[in-house]
Amino acid sequence: MAETDLDLRADAADVQKQVHDKQIAFELATLRVLALAVGAVFMTRMVASFVLYSVGQALIASVVLAAGVLLCSGILLAQWRNELRPSLVRPLTILLGTLVTFNVFYILHTTGNLNQFFFSAMVLVAFGLASSTFMIWLTFVVPFLIIFAWCLFDLQVANVTPYIAILIGGLALSAVAFFVRMPTIRKLIELEVVHSHNARKLALSNQAKDQFLANMTHELRTPLTGVIGMIDLMEDTKLSAEQAHYLGTARKSAHYLLMVVNDILDIAKLEAGKLFLNSEPLDAVLLTKDITSIFDHRVRQKNITLSLDLPEQARIPVRGDNIRIGQILLNLLENALKFTENGRIDITLEVMKPGAEITLKWTVRDTGVGIADDRLHKLFDRFEQADSSSTRTTGGTGLGLAIIRDLVDLMKGRIGATSTVGEGSTFWFELTLPAVELMDLPDRSQSKGDRQFVSDNSRSAAAEAFGELRSPEPGDEPGLVRILYAEDNPVNRELVGRLIRREGWSGVAVVNGLEAVENVRENGNEYDLILMDIQMPVMDGLEAHKIIKQETRSSLPIVALTANTLPDDMRRYEEAGFDAIVGKPINVAELRAVVEKLVSPALQG
């Protein structure tokens, strides 16, 4: 509590200091305007005095006027050079006002021209506009009124009433000008400072949130890489039926945990504004078929009928985010399968508005348990579930539907649901996407370009024990794909080594980027590819990649092997020049595809 109080006091002190600095800046600006105005008036009066008065009178007047012009010029020059001390601002403002007062008084006294009272009233109003504090305004006004009252009686004016009225009117206008203007200006200054202060704190908060999100992505995926990877390796060994059952259960639990982690990270990305959409040509029909086919085996296990109703067009080419649209449909199908024990699930894709932009509507209907009306409208809220009671038969975080609602909103689409308890539910979403030509659709038989990006897997363990089994040295088995892999985590290092051996490749492990650089310098021509972890001690993967490419002039393909799969991270690795990016946990089929693409076919035996 004490630290919080100190932080609040520090914030308040910082705001007050900024308000004070802004006030001084305003007073400097006011002084600059006043110096320009007074200097111009004095210069005009100095010229006019030689026209209107005798030479003697003009010379006497010019001494004071010239001094005023020089003072104003000096103030403007000092401000231009940023040499004017803040402590001099208020005294100089008062001095300029005094010079104007003296000048008006001098002309009135020497000429006896009572029209100067009108000018004096305007001077009073100008004082009200030029004052930045009450003390300056008072210092202006009191001497001014005393001098002109004395001057009035010294001139022995017969009827002083109109002139006193003029001065009182000027005083009133001056007071109104000051007391209306200054509180507003101070309030604007305070609001500007507070807004700037809050914006700065928000920027720091967002920066901290971004860093936290990056760390959590990295740290949550780290143990999951080791868990899932080792389970996959174990399942390829000779197992008894009981062991296979235990491992299968562990694998399902690990993948469910990965799904929960991905949901939490997606929510964090959405809240931090770090979830970005890709825009690439896709086939809506093919995407729907691909997502639906994932569930074929599971619906057969539950003895559920899964039907797919597609438009007449064999292909619907549009531009959008293939992964995120698939994620929405996948989540809706997961929910339908979870709550449907028998009956059917129907998926429908409709073309609502064809044209330059195509409105597509996906509908998922099930014959499951249904949702009560009082729960239906809350389904798309975070942490809400159709059944939140302690006796519910299905689990879940209550994040899936909230995420797809946010994704649909991000794509400027619509989503909704209807349901009847005991009869089933219908979920639908609509997206309006730009149409593209059929020729723009990617050829599924070829990779997507010079670089592949394999992400949305998971990340490896924080184990301390070093259990590394070293792979064969390069050159021991000619004809193998020879891989140098840099990984600081012992469990991940062992996992990657075993995956390399299982694929029939040859590999050498190093524990950081510096060792990778030194190894390439000494044995660079003995490798065909480098797998480079990003976050490592001593030297990280980005720095190692830069040195290998620039200093050693190596042409070895380098693949980023990383748990940092946020869009900003992926763009950073792409811009750094990595030949491919493989996310953690490692999908063996995807890693194999990357290696086969990047390594010359002649080396693959």
Side-chain angles (χ1 to χ4, degrees), residues 219-237:
E219 296 307 321
L220 288 172
R221 290 176 180 271
T222 294
L224 285 171
T225 297
V227 170
I228 294 174
M230 290 302 180
I231 289 174
D232 288 344
L233 288 174
M234 181 65 75
E235 285 184 326
D236 285 342
T237 64

Side-chain angles (χ1 to χ4, degrees), residues 325-341:
I325 296 173
Q327 182 181 354
I328 296 168
L329 187 55
L330 187 71
N331 269 276
L332 293 180
L333 281 167
E334 283 278 5
N335 266 4
L337 187 60
K338 182 192 298 185
F339 294 103
T340 304
E341 291 303 322

Side-chain angles (χ1 to χ4, degrees), residues 344-415:
R344 60 186 300 110
I345 298 173
D346 300 320
I347 300 102
T348 304
L349 171 61
E350 301 173 77
V351 179
M352 307 293 290
K353 294 179 182 177
E357 288 190 325
I358 300 176
T359 299
L360 299 172
K361 182 177 181 179
W362 284 267
T363 305
V364 178
R365 297 182 183 87
D366 65 64
T367 58
V369 296
I371 304 163
D373 289 341
D374 62 337
R375 303 296 304 173
L376 188 62
H377 70 283
K378 295 181 179 179
L379 271 185
F380 294 104
D381 296 339
R382 290 174 188 174
F383 311 109
E384 289 288 344
Q385 296 166 319
D387 181 5
S388 58
S389 68
S390 59
T391 58
R392 68 183 188 271
T393 57
T394 56
T397 60
L399 290 175
L401 290 175
I403 290 170
I404 66 173
R405 192 251 349 246
D406 289 343
L407 288 174
V408 170
D409 288 346
L410 204 57
M411 298 180 198
K412 297 180 171 53
R414 298 193 308 139
I415 189 167

Side-chain angles (χ1 to χ4, degrees), residues 25 89 125 152 180 219 239 246 288 308 385 471-472 492 538 550:
V89 173
V125 175
L152 187 66
V180 169
E219 296 307 321
L239 301 170
Y246 293 157
T288 307
L308 182 57
Q385 296 166 319
S471 301
N492 283 355
V538 184
Q550 294 183 1

